[in-house]
mmCIF file of all heavy atoms in Angstrom:
data_model
loop_
_atom_site.group_PDB
_atom_site.id
_atom_site.type_symbol
_atom_site.label_atom_id
_atom_site.label_comp_id
_atom_site.label_asym_id
_atom_site.label_seq_id
_atom_site.Cartn_x
_atom_site.Cartn_y
_atom_site.Cartn_z
ATOM 1 N N SER A 5 -9.585 22.046 9.340
ATOM 2 C CA SER A 5 -9.558 23.387 8.881
ATOM 3 C C SER A 5 -10.894 23.754 8.198
ATOM 4 O O SER A 5 -11.780 22.953 7.949
ATOM 5 C CB SER A 5 -8.440 23.517 7.881
ATOM 6 O OG SER A 5 -8.754 22.836 6.639
ATOM 7 N N LYS A 6 -11.062 25.075 8.042
ATOM 8 C CA LYS A 6 -12.250 25.575 7.418
ATOM 9 C C LYS A 6 -12.401 24.987 6.047
ATOM 10 O O LYS A 6 -13.495 24.624 5.571
ATOM 11 C CB LYS A 6 -12.167 27.164 7.345
ATOM 12 C CG LYS A 6 -13.353 27.770 6.700
ATOM 13 C CD LYS A 6 -13.242 29.273 6.730
ATOM 14 C CE LYS A 6 -14.504 29.989 6.101
ATOM 15 N NZ LYS A 6 -14.324 31.437 6.149
ATOM 16 N N ARG A 7 -11.200 24.882 5.306
ATOM 17 C CA ARG A 7 -11.250 24.299 3.936
ATOM 18 C C ARG A 7 -11.711 22.957 3.978
ATOM 19 O O ARG A 7 -12.549 22.511 3.136
ATOM 20 C CB ARG A 7 -9.771 24.342 3.348
ATOM 21 C CG ARG A 7 -9.603 23.504 2.104
ATOM 22 C CD ARG A 7 -8.122 23.485 1.696
ATOM 23 N NE ARG A 7 -7.974 22.443 0.695
ATOM 24 C CZ ARG A 7 -7.824 21.141 0.947
ATOM 25 N NH1 ARG A 7 -7.952 20.716 2.161
ATOM 26 N NH2 ARG A 7 -7.717 20.252 -0.051
ATOM 27 N N PHE A 8 -11.210 22.118 4.881
ATOM 28 C CA PHE A 8 -11.518 20.713 5.063
ATOM 29 C C PHE A 8 -13.059 20.514 5.332
ATOM 30 O O PHE A 8 -13.767 19.745 4.730
ATOM 31 C CB PHE A 8 -10.781 19.976 6.150
ATOM 32 C CG PHE A 8 -10.919 18.558 6.185
ATOM 33 C CD1 PHE A 8 -9.930 17.693 5.654
ATOM 34 C CD2 PHE A 8 -12.024 17.971 6.816
ATOM 35 C CE1 PHE A 8 -10.135 16.246 5.688
ATOM 36 C CE2 PHE A 8 -12.229 16.522 6.879
ATOM 37 C CZ PHE A 8 -11.184 15.730 6.314
ATOM 38 N N ARG A 9 -13.574 21.390 6.233
ATOM 39 C CA ARG A 9 -15.064 21.366 6.516
ATOM 40 C C ARG A 9 -15.865 21.710 5.416
ATOM 41 O O ARG A 9 -16.919 21.190 5.142
ATOM 42 C CB ARG A 9 -15.284 22.287 7.752
ATOM 43 C CG ARG A 9 -14.664 21.766 9.049
ATOM 44 C CD ARG A 9 -15.270 22.470 10.246
ATOM 45 N NE ARG A 9 -15.171 23.905 10.163
ATOM 46 C CZ ARG A 9 -14.099 24.671 10.643
ATOM 47 N NH1 ARG A 9 -13.103 23.936 11.188
ATOM 48 N NH2 ARG A 9 -14.063 25.948 10.571
ATOM 49 N N ALA A 10 -15.440 22.641 4.618
ATOM 50 C CA ALA A 10 -16.174 23.113 3.423
ATOM 51 C C ALA A 10 -16.243 21.938 2.386
ATOM 52 O O ALA A 10 -17.269 21.683 1.798
ATOM 53 C CB ALA A 10 -15.492 24.302 2.795
ATOM 54 N N LEU A 11 -15.147 21.286 2.186
ATOM 55 C CA LEU A 11 -15.194 20.116 1.215
ATOM 56 C C LEU A 11 -15.972 19.027 1.741
ATOM 57 O O LEU A 11 -16.653 18.350 1.095
ATOM 58 C CB LEU A 11 -13.640 19.628 1.064
ATOM 59 C CG LEU A 11 -12.630 20.614 0.341
ATOM 60 C CD1 LEU A 11 -11.280 19.952 0.324
ATOM 61 C CD2 LEU A 11 -13.190 20.962 -1.070
ATOM 62 N N SER A 12 -15.990 18.720 3.086
ATOM 63 C CA SER A 12 -16.672 17.648 3.648
ATOM 64 C C SER A 12 -18.155 17.892 3.466
ATOM 65 O O SER A 12 -18.913 16.933 3.394
ATOM 66 C CB SER A 12 -16.410 17.512 5.128
ATOM 67 O OG SER A 12 -15.021 17.064 5.397
ATOM 68 N N SER A 13 -18.586 19.124 3.463
ATOM 69 C CA SER A 13 -20.044 19.459 3.334
ATOM 70 C C SER A 13 -20.533 19.023 2.000
ATOM 71 O O SER A 13 -21.772 18.926 1.806
ATOM 72 C CB SER A 13 -20.238 20.998 3.568
ATOM 73 O OG SER A 13 -19.727 21.691 2.484
ATOM 74 N N LYS A 14 -19.671 18.813 0.967
ATOM 75 C CA LYS A 14 -20.042 18.381 -0.366
ATOM 76 C C LYS A 14 -20.288 16.927 -0.454
ATOM 77 O O LYS A 14 -20.774 16.375 -1.493
ATOM 78 C CB LYS A 14 -19.018 18.835 -1.349
ATOM 79 C CG LYS A 14 -18.801 20.335 -1.430
ATOM 80 C CD LYS A 14 -17.776 20.667 -2.460
ATOM 81 C CE LYS A 14 -17.476 22.154 -2.507
ATOM 82 N NZ LYS A 14 -16.396 22.504 -3.493
ATOM 83 N N VAL A 15 -19.864 16.128 0.584
ATOM 84 C CA VAL A 15 -19.860 14.663 0.515
ATOM 85 C C VAL A 15 -21.035 14.159 1.454
ATOM 86 O O VAL A 15 -21.019 14.427 2.662
ATOM 87 C CB VAL A 15 -18.580 14.074 0.948
ATOM 88 C CG1 VAL A 15 -18.598 12.597 0.765
ATOM 89 C CG2 VAL A 15 -17.419 14.680 0.140
ATOM 90 N N LYS A 16 -21.906 13.349 0.905
ATOM 91 C CA LYS A 16 -22.860 12.657 1.735
ATOM 92 C C LYS A 16 -22.193 11.361 2.229
ATOM 93 O O LYS A 16 -22.256 10.356 1.558
ATOM 94 C CB LYS A 16 -24.136 12.332 0.922
ATOM 95 C CG LYS A 16 -24.826 13.592 0.501
ATOM 96 C CD LYS A 16 -26.103 13.268 -0.346
ATOM 97 C CE LYS A 16 -26.891 14.488 -0.755
ATOM 98 N NZ LYS A 16 -28.028 14.122 -1.597
ATOM 99 N N ILE A 17 -21.468 11.438 3.370
ATOM 100 C CA ILE A 17 -20.570 10.380 3.831
ATOM 101 C C ILE A 17 -21.299 9.042 3.832
ATOM 102 O O ILE A 17 -20.701 8.025 3.535
ATOM 103 C CB ILE A 17 -20.143 10.710 5.351
ATOM 104 C CG1 ILE A 17 -19.268 12.020 5.257
ATOM 105 C CG2 ILE A 17 -19.257 9.624 5.859
ATOM 106 C CD1 ILE A 17 -18.052 11.981 4.461
ATOM 107 N N ALA A 18 -22.571 8.947 4.293
ATOM 108 C CA ALA A 18 -23.263 7.712 4.412
ATOM 109 C C ALA A 18 -23.689 7.037 3.095
ATOM 110 O O ALA A 18 -24.218 5.915 3.093
ATOM 111 C CB ALA A 18 -24.461 7.847 5.365
ATOM 112 N N VAL A 19 -23.578 7.790 1.984
ATOM 113 C CA VAL A 19 -24.058 7.325 0.710
ATOM 114 C C VAL A 19 -22.938 6.952 -0.248
ATOM 115 O O VAL A 19 -22.331 7.864 -0.824
ATOM 116 C CB VAL A 19 -25.014 8.322 0.054
ATOM 117 C CG1 VAL A 19 -25.537 7.838 -1.252
ATOM 118 C CG2 VAL A 19 -26.063 8.804 0.984
ATOM 119 N N PRO A 20 -22.630 5.668 -0.355
ATOM 120 C CA PRO A 20 -21.540 5.303 -1.339
ATOM 121 C C PRO A 20 -21.953 5.638 -2.862
ATOM 122 O O PRO A 20 -23.154 5.523 -3.107
ATOM 123 C CB PRO A 20 -21.436 3.742 -1.167
ATOM 124 C CG PRO A 20 -22.046 3.453 0.203
ATOM 125 C CD PRO A 20 -23.145 4.510 0.297
ATOM 126 N N VAL A 21 -20.928 6.019 -3.532
ATOM 127 C CA VAL A 21 -21.240 6.343 -5.060
ATOM 128 C C VAL A 21 -20.387 5.513 -5.847
ATOM 129 O O VAL A 21 -19.296 4.899 -5.441
ATOM 130 C CB VAL A 21 -21.010 7.823 -5.220
ATOM 131 C CG1 VAL A 21 -21.933 8.733 -4.430
ATOM 132 C CG2 VAL A 21 -19.506 8.196 -5.001
ATOM 133 N N PRO A 22 -20.711 5.322 -7.192
ATOM 134 C CA PRO A 22 -19.852 4.565 -8.062
ATOM 135 C C PRO A 22 -18.479 5.188 -8.142
ATOM 136 O O PRO A 22 -18.252 6.290 -8.007
ATOM 137 C CB PRO A 22 -20.618 4.636 -9.453
ATOM 138 C CG PRO A 22 -22.042 4.960 -9.061
ATOM 139 C CD PRO A 22 -21.917 5.767 -7.819
ATOM 140 N N LEU A 23 -17.529 4.228 -8.456
ATOM 141 C CA LEU A 23 -16.114 4.664 -8.453
ATOM 142 C C LEU A 23 -15.852 5.869 -9.371
ATOM 143 O O LEU A 23 -15.192 6.811 -8.966
ATOM 144 C CB LEU A 23 -15.225 3.481 -8.875
ATOM 145 C CG LEU A 23 -13.731 3.734 -8.889
ATOM 146 C CD1 LEU A 23 -13.167 4.248 -7.528
ATOM 147 C CD2 LEU A 23 -12.994 2.522 -9.253
ATOM 148 N N PRO A 24 -16.348 5.884 -10.588
ATOM 149 C CA PRO A 24 -16.014 7.063 -11.477
ATOM 150 C C PRO A 24 -16.491 8.345 -10.795
ATOM 151 O O PRO A 24 -15.813 9.416 -10.854
ATOM 152 C CB PRO A 24 -16.777 6.709 -12.738
ATOM 153 C CG PRO A 24 -16.780 5.288 -12.775
ATOM 154 C CD PRO A 24 -17.071 4.747 -11.389
ATOM 155 N N GLU A 25 -17.681 8.377 -10.245
ATOM 156 C CA GLU A 25 -18.272 9.575 -9.497
ATOM 157 C C GLU A 25 -17.295 9.946 -8.401
ATOM 158 O O GLU A 25 -17.117 11.142 -8.101
ATOM 159 C CB GLU A 25 -19.689 9.276 -9.193
ATOM 160 C CG GLU A 25 -20.333 10.510 -8.588
ATOM 161 C CD GLU A 25 -21.802 10.163 -8.171
ATOM 162 O OE1 GLU A 25 -22.372 9.299 -8.654
ATOM 163 O OE2 GLU A 25 -22.307 10.989 -7.292
ATOM 164 N N ALA A 26 -16.963 8.889 -7.587
ATOM 165 C CA ALA A 26 -16.094 9.204 -6.419
ATOM 166 C C ALA A 26 -14.843 9.849 -6.769
ATOM 167 O O ALA A 26 -14.339 10.765 -6.182
ATOM 168 C CB ALA A 26 -15.866 7.854 -5.670
ATOM 169 N N VAL A 27 -14.159 9.381 -7.845
ATOM 170 C CA VAL A 27 -12.858 9.861 -8.267
ATOM 171 C C VAL A 27 -12.997 11.282 -8.822
ATOM 172 O O VAL A 27 -12.292 12.167 -8.472
ATOM 173 C CB VAL A 27 -12.297 8.988 -9.420
ATOM 174 C CG1 VAL A 27 -11.070 9.678 -10.078
ATOM 175 C CG2 VAL A 27 -11.854 7.618 -8.859
ATOM 176 N N LYS A 28 -14.156 11.536 -9.464
ATOM 177 C CA LYS A 28 -14.358 12.900 -10.095
ATOM 178 C C LYS A 28 -14.611 13.875 -8.873
ATOM 179 O O LYS A 28 -14.018 14.953 -8.889
ATOM 180 C CB LYS A 28 -15.643 12.915 -10.888
ATOM 181 C CG LYS A 28 -15.948 14.341 -11.549
ATOM 182 C CD LYS A 28 -17.220 14.211 -12.309
ATOM 183 C CE LYS A 28 -17.035 13.431 -13.627
ATOM 184 N NZ LYS A 28 -16.100 14.048 -14.619
ATOM 185 N N LEU A 29 -15.304 13.475 -7.864
ATOM 186 C CA LEU A 29 -15.519 14.251 -6.768
ATOM 187 C C LEU A 29 -14.193 14.547 -6.000
ATOM 188 O O LEU A 29 -13.967 15.652 -5.517
ATOM 189 C CB LEU A 29 -16.589 13.515 -5.740
ATOM 190 C CG LEU A 29 -17.059 14.322 -4.651
ATOM 191 C CD1 LEU A 29 -17.693 15.680 -4.987
ATOM 192 C CD2 LEU A 29 -18.054 13.471 -3.807
ATOM 193 N N LEU A 30 -13.411 13.530 -5.823
ATOM 194 C CA LEU A 30 -12.184 13.617 -5.094
ATOM 195 C C LEU A 30 -11.218 14.579 -5.797
ATOM 196 O O LEU A 30 -10.577 15.448 -5.164
ATOM 197 C CB LEU A 30 -11.441 12.235 -4.943
ATOM 198 C CG LEU A 30 -10.163 12.220 -4.153
ATOM 199 C CD1 LEU A 30 -10.523 12.457 -2.710
ATOM 200 C CD2 LEU A 30 -9.438 10.893 -4.329
ATOM 201 N N LYS A 31 -11.146 14.442 -7.142
ATOM 202 C CA LYS A 31 -10.205 15.359 -7.838
ATOM 203 C C LYS A 31 -10.718 16.790 -7.772
ATOM 204 O O LYS A 31 -9.957 17.762 -7.781
ATOM 205 C CB LYS A 31 -10.080 14.908 -9.306
ATOM 206 C CG LYS A 31 -9.187 13.758 -9.487
ATOM 207 C CD LYS A 31 -9.079 13.339 -10.981
ATOM 208 C CE LYS A 31 -8.313 14.336 -11.764
ATOM 209 N NZ LYS A 31 -6.838 14.488 -11.431
ATOM 210 N N GLY A 32 -12.047 17.025 -7.612
ATOM 211 C CA GLY A 32 -12.646 18.297 -7.394
ATOM 212 C C GLY A 32 -12.228 18.984 -6.080
ATOM 213 O O GLY A 32 -12.334 20.216 -5.956
ATOM 214 N N PHE A 33 -11.769 18.127 -5.143
ATOM 215 C CA PHE A 33 -11.318 18.720 -3.887
ATOM 216 C C PHE A 33 -9.967 19.253 -3.954
ATOM 217 O O PHE A 33 -9.446 19.779 -2.943
ATOM 218 C CB PHE A 33 -11.339 17.562 -2.857
ATOM 219 C CG PHE A 33 -12.722 17.075 -2.440
ATOM 220 C CD1 PHE A 33 -12.838 15.825 -1.863
ATOM 221 C CD2 PHE A 33 -13.894 17.836 -2.684
ATOM 222 C CE1 PHE A 33 -14.082 15.397 -1.450
ATOM 223 C CE2 PHE A 33 -15.168 17.367 -2.333
ATOM 224 C CZ PHE A 33 -15.235 16.168 -1.692
ATOM 225 N N ASN A 34 -9.246 19.071 -5.006
ATOM 226 C CA ASN A 34 -7.851 19.486 -5.127
ATOM 227 C C ASN A 34 -7.595 20.913 -5.208
ATOM 228 O O ASN A 34 -7.634 21.545 -6.278
ATOM 229 C CB ASN A 34 -7.142 18.735 -6.354
ATOM 230 C CG ASN A 34 -5.618 19.042 -6.380
ATOM 231 O OD1 ASN A 34 -4.980 19.170 -5.323
ATOM 232 N ND2 ASN A 34 -5.097 18.936 -7.547
ATOM 233 N N THR A 35 -7.507 21.569 -4.048
ATOM 234 C CA THR A 35 -7.271 23.018 -4.057
ATOM 235 C C THR A 35 -5.873 23.362 -3.373
ATOM 236 O O THR A 35 -5.674 24.483 -3.072
ATOM 237 C CB THR A 35 -8.406 23.701 -3.220
ATOM 238 O OG1 THR A 35 -8.398 23.204 -1.896
ATOM 239 C CG2 THR A 35 -9.773 23.509 -3.897
ATOM 240 N N THR A 36 -5.070 22.444 -3.227
ATOM 241 C CA THR A 36 -3.764 22.598 -2.658
ATOM 242 C C THR A 36 -2.665 22.732 -3.774
ATOM 243 O O THR A 36 -2.969 22.305 -4.870
ATOM 244 C CB THR A 36 -3.320 21.480 -1.705
ATOM 245 O OG1 THR A 36 -3.322 20.235 -2.382
ATOM 246 C CG2 THR A 36 -4.355 21.366 -0.585
ATOM 247 N N LYS A 37 -1.511 23.260 -3.392
ATOM 248 C CA LYS A 37 -0.458 23.475 -4.334
ATOM 249 C C LYS A 37 0.425 22.242 -4.553
ATOM 250 O O LYS A 37 1.215 22.132 -5.434
ATOM 251 C CB LYS A 37 0.429 24.677 -4.032
ATOM 252 C CG LYS A 37 -0.340 25.953 -4.060
ATOM 253 C CD LYS A 37 0.511 27.152 -3.712
ATOM 254 C CE LYS A 37 -0.251 28.495 -3.759
ATOM 255 N NZ LYS A 37 0.685 29.643 -3.486
ATOM 256 N N PHE A 38 0.326 21.300 -3.597
ATOM 257 C CA PHE A 38 1.260 20.126 -3.798
ATOM 258 C C PHE A 38 0.501 18.922 -4.223
ATOM 259 O O PHE A 38 -0.799 18.886 -4.208
ATOM 260 C CB PHE A 38 1.927 19.747 -2.404
ATOM 261 C CG PHE A 38 1.007 19.113 -1.387
ATOM 262 C CD1 PHE A 38 1.071 17.773 -1.242
ATOM 263 C CD2 PHE A 38 0.233 19.907 -0.510
ATOM 264 C CE1 PHE A 38 0.211 17.103 -0.298
ATOM 265 C CE2 PHE A 38 -0.570 19.264 0.383
ATOM 266 C CZ PHE A 38 -0.614 17.889 0.495
ATOM 267 N N ASN A 39 1.178 17.945 -4.777
ATOM 268 C CA ASN A 39 0.621 16.772 -5.460
ATOM 269 C C ASN A 39 0.274 15.751 -4.382
ATOM 270 O O ASN A 39 1.089 14.897 -4.027
ATOM 271 C CB ASN A 39 1.525 16.210 -6.563
ATOM 272 C CG ASN A 39 0.830 15.283 -7.458
ATOM 273 O OD1 ASN A 39 -0.357 15.206 -7.517
ATOM 274 N ND2 ASN A 39 1.643 14.553 -8.227
ATOM 275 N N GLN A 40 -1.013 15.726 -3.901
ATOM 276 C CA GLN A 40 -1.393 14.878 -2.904
ATOM 277 C C GLN A 40 -1.454 13.380 -3.231
ATOM 278 O O GLN A 40 -1.656 13.041 -4.435
ATOM 279 C CB GLN A 40 -2.891 15.216 -2.415
ATOM 280 C CG GLN A 40 -2.982 16.644 -1.908
ATOM 281 C CD GLN A 40 -4.472 16.989 -1.563
ATOM 282 O OE1 GLN A 40 -5.027 16.334 -0.769
ATOM 283 N NE2 GLN A 40 -5.011 18.050 -2.202
ATOM 284 N N THR A 41 -1.243 12.538 -2.323
ATOM 285 C CA THR A 41 -1.349 11.095 -2.499
ATOM 286 C C THR A 41 -2.750 10.671 -2.365
ATOM 287 O O THR A 41 -3.445 11.100 -1.458
ATOM 288 C CB THR A 41 -0.424 10.326 -1.486
ATOM 289 O OG1 THR A 41 0.916 10.631 -1.678
ATOM 290 C CG2 THR A 41 -0.608 8.827 -1.703
ATOM 291 N N VAL A 42 -3.178 9.812 -3.281
ATOM 292 C CA VAL A 42 -4.556 9.190 -3.277
ATOM 293 C C VAL A 42 -4.398 7.817 -2.584
ATOM 294 O O VAL A 42 -3.586 7.045 -2.974
ATOM 295 C CB VAL A 42 -5.202 9.109 -4.621
ATOM 296 C CG1 VAL A 42 -6.559 8.433 -4.650
ATOM 297 C CG2 VAL A 42 -5.339 10.568 -5.282
ATOM 298 N N GLU A 43 -5.334 7.639 -1.628
ATOM 299 C CA GLU A 43 -5.343 6.363 -0.939
ATOM 300 C C GLU A 43 -6.727 5.703 -0.919
ATOM 301 O O GLU A 43 -7.734 6.354 -0.981
ATOM 302 C CB GLU A 43 -4.902 6.662 0.543
ATOM 303 C CG GLU A 43 -4.758 5.289 1.413
ATOM 304 C CD GLU A 43 -4.307 5.697 2.759
ATOM 305 O OE1 GLU A 43 -3.096 5.673 2.932
ATOM 306 O OE2 GLU A 43 -5.139 5.975 3.636
ATOM 307 N N VAL A 44 -6.631 4.373 -0.982
ATOM 308 C CA VAL A 44 -7.884 3.552 -0.825
ATOM 309 C C VAL A 44 -7.865 2.853 0.418
ATOM 310 O O VAL A 44 -6.835 2.300 0.780
ATOM 311 C CB VAL A 44 -8.076 2.525 -1.965
ATOM 312 C CG1 VAL A 44 -9.246 1.623 -1.755
ATOM 313 C CG2 VAL A 44 -8.203 3.181 -3.282
ATOM 314 N N SER A 45 -8.939 3.039 1.217
ATOM 315 C CA SER A 45 -9.094 2.372 2.525
ATOM 316 C C SER A 45 -10.236 1.420 2.501
ATOM 317 O O SER A 45 -11.341 1.785 2.050
ATOM 318 C CB SER A 45 -9.239 3.335 3.698
ATOM 319 O OG SER A 45 -8.191 4.207 3.761
#
Side-chain angles (χ1 to χ4, degrees):
S5 68
K6 182 178 180 181
R7 169 189 166 277
F8 189 98
R9 294 196 302 272
L11 294 177
S12 295
S13 68
K14 299 180 181 180
V15 184
K16 296 179 180 179
I17 298 297
V19 182
V21 297
L23 180 57
E25 184 179 338
V27 169
K28 183 182 290 293
L29 187 57
L30 186 68
K31 284 181 68 67
F33 291 160
N34 185 27
T35 59
T36 62
K37 294 182 178 179
F38 76 96
N39 195 13
Q40 301 177 55
T41 295
V42 176
E43 183 176 271
V44 173
S45 299

